[in-house]
Amino acid sequence: MKKIIAVALALVWVMADAGAARKPDIKCGPWVQNVNETEFTVLWTSSEKVFAWVEVAPDDGTAFESCARPRFYQTVSGRRVAGTDHIIKVSGLEPGKGYRYRIYGKVVKDDGNAYATHYGPARRSGIKGGGVIRTYDRNASGCRFVMLNDIHGKDDRYRALTKDIVADSIDFLLLNGDMVSYIGNMDSTLSHVFGTVPELVSDVPSVWVRGNHETRGREFHLMRRYAPTPTGEPYHLFRQGPVAVLVLDAGEDKPDGNAEYSGTADFDSYRTQQLGWLKLAVKDSLFTEAPVKLAVMHIPAIMKAGSWYGQKWVSAHFLPVLNEAGIDIMLSGHHHKHIYVEAGECGNAFPILANDDTDRLEFEADAKGYVIRTYNQDGEETSSYAGGSGE
């Protein structure tokens, strides 16, 4: 297994001096997204406007403050910016090496003068939990993650399903759609998606997959800001160890002209655009050289008589590409019940598993194949599957 990134994170700001200036707080977060072999992004929100940065140190046992550490800022076209939304990319890292990072910030007291901004004293984050982050490594021998779906803002269920997760035993947390019922207010959405289990999402990279309900609400379009991806869209490709993960976005489940969308839907065009990307993604060496190939999509590509429009669309258009690409299994949700479709049942060359909304799914793979187990809120195993040449 690869080395770990030891992460010094916190949910509260600690005074760097004894000054009486007001103390900025972290309203939500931090959480870690968009991880690869040389980068990761840390995100959080604050109640006040803060000029923030992240400092990074090798995981070599030295005191963090023993020397000056590289600083990373949030920038826009060459300008370091302050704000209440903090999205800071740490780059230039080496695969398989461990790094520690800490969050620092200064409250912006007055930025009305274009030539002189006044700040409060600098403060660093305190440490809550002291967890770890693992960077992705295509040469790792295995891949293990936990998947949840269709939580719909039920925080008690979210906590119950994750209470047994040991952060340093998984590579990432996969949130496979409909974590909320709609995105009408971003503060509320972030609180449900990332604020419900703060110790977990600050210790483990999270991968947010858009569900059809998360296309709804007046602030739906802001979510991509808080769940950045390599493509800038909800669909993307990444690799961890032997597993290539194709994250797909089925969009809405009804036709664009449905009255519920009030004339705002254009998902046929969006899915067609995504299809063009998909045809190229399955030729990427990151995907083709992976021993295990996984597709993740909130709405499953199950073509049956009772399937709704969105499900039929992705079945008709995405399935042929995925079949040809040699996908091993698709993981989905959406139906709020456990559904397992064997390969060949409805035009699929691979099995499709739609997870129940009351279960967590645990996925583990090596170069020979994968094992999947699901567990209910009491920690009882509810199903298991295996696939690949090593099953």
Side-chain angles (χ1 to χ4, degrees):
M1 291 293 290
K2 53 193 175 298
K3 296 181 181 178
I4 60 176
I5 293 178
V7 183
L9 292 173
L11 304 182
V12 295
W13 292 91
V14 176
M15 294 290 290
D17 55 35
R22 63 185 181 272
K23 183 172 69 173
D25 66 321
I26 292 180
K27 185 160 59 172
C28 186
W31 61 95
V32 178
Q33 297 262 298
N34 208 14
V35 180
N36 60 38
E37 293 181 321
T38 60
E39 298 176 343
F40 61 88
T41 301
V42 60
L43 305 92
W44 74 97
T45 64
S46 58
S47 297
E48 294 185 274
K49 193 172 187 179
V50 175
F51 183 67
W53 65 92
V54 170
E55 295 189 9
V56 176
D59 184 24
D60 56 7
T62 61
F64 199 96
E65 298 80 6
S66 62
C67 62
R69 302 300 188 180
R71 290 185 175 187
F72 297 86
Y73 296 85
Q74 186 168 341
T75 63
V76 176
S77 303
R79 172 77 182 269
R80 295 170 180 168
V81 297
T84 56
D85 296 339
H86 308 283
I87 306 167
I88 297 181
K89 180 186 289 186
V90 175
S91 60
L93 309 179
E94 296 181 28
K97 282 197 172 182
Y99 299 85
R100 295 166 289 168
Y101 74 83
R102 289 183 179 173
I103 299 168
Y104 293 78
K106 301 184 290 187
V107 169
V108 177
K109 292 176 136 185
D110 183 2
D111 59 356
N113 185 337
Y115 298 96
T117 300
H118 299 284
Y119 303 103
R123 301 175 176 92
R124 69 173 176 82
S125 62
I127 298 173
K128 184 174 183 179
V132 298
I133 288 290
R134 295 184 179 91
T135 53
Y136 299 157
D137 178 5
R138 74 187 68 192
N139 294 316
S141 60
C143 174
R144 186 167 186 261
F145 65 83
V146 167
M147 186 184 97
L148 306 176
N149 52 276
D150 299 284
I151 299 298
H152 287 279
K154 298 179 177 69
D155 293 347
D156 289 344
R157 179 182 297 173
Y158 195 171
R159 284 187 285 265
L161 288 173
T162 56
K163 70 181 187 303
D164 296 329
I165 297 175
V166 178
D168 62 6
S169 70
I170 63 173
D171 296 302
F172 55 89
L173 175 67
L174 181 64
L175 306 174
N176 199 351
D178 288 1
M179 296 300 290
V180 293
S181 295
Y182 56 88
I183 303 178
N185 176 274
M186 189 50 63
D187 284 345
S188 175
T189 297
L190 294 178
S191 176
H192 286 304
V193 178
F194 302 115
T196 301
V197 289
E199 293 84 359
L200 182 61
V201 298
S202 65
D203 294 352
V204 177
S206 53
V207 179
W208 177 74
V209 182
R210 189 169 75 158
N212 60 298
H213 277 267
E214 288 150 339
T215 69
R216 305 172 187 176
R218 63 176 175 268
E219 294 195 345
F220 83 96
H221 60 291
L222 299 178
M223 190 61 186
R224 66 167 61 192
R225 177 176 175 81
Y226 303 97
T229 71
T231 62
E233 296 285 354
Y235 53 84
H236 58 103
L237 167 68
F238 69 93
R239 169 86 178 266
Q240 167 54 18
V243 182
V245 184
L246 274 172
V247 177
L248 300 173
D249 181 7
E252 266 292 3
D253 56 0
K254 293 176 280 295
D256 287 345
N258 190 278
E260 284 190 12
Y261 308 143
S262 304
T264 63
D266 193 21
F267 290 101
D268 283 346
S269 295
Y270 170 72
R271 285 185 291 253
T272 299
Q273 169 189 310
Q274 183 179 178
L275 179 60
W277 169 85
L278 176 60
K279 290 177 179 178
L280 296 176
V282 296
K283 297 177 182 178
D284 191 314
S285 61
L286 199 66
F287 178 84
T288 59
E289 295 175 3
V292 178
K293 298 174 174 63
L294 173 65
V296 175
M297 185 165 59
H298 175 70
I299 297 178
I302 300 174
M303 178 74 85
K304 293 191 175 181
S307 297
W308 286 22
Y309 179 82
Q311 197 159 306
K312 290 180 177 179
W313 198 103
V314 294
S315 297
H317 296 87
F318 288 177
L319 261 187
V321 179
L322 298 175
N323 286 342
E324 183 68 22
I327 291 293
D328 289 288
I329 190 167
M330 173 180 284
L331 299 181
S332 300
H334 186 59
H335 288 285
H336 294 221
K337 62 181 179 180
H338 184 94
I339 301 173
Y340 185 79
V341 179
E342 295 280 1
E345 283 190 21
C346 52
N348 51 314
F350 49 86
I352 300 172
L353 173 56
N355 188 46
D356 200 330
D357 61 322
T358 59
D359 284 356
R360 76 169 182 271
L361 182 149
E362 297 190 2
F363 181 99
E364 187 168 7
D366 59 21
K368 295 182 179 180
Y370 64 84
V371 175
I372 295 171
R373 296 182 177 88
T374 62
Y375 299 87
N376 62 23
Q377 296 175 65
D378 296 321
E380 300 166 335
E381 184 175 319
T382 54
S383 67
S384 64
Y385 304 93
S389 59
E391 68 176 287

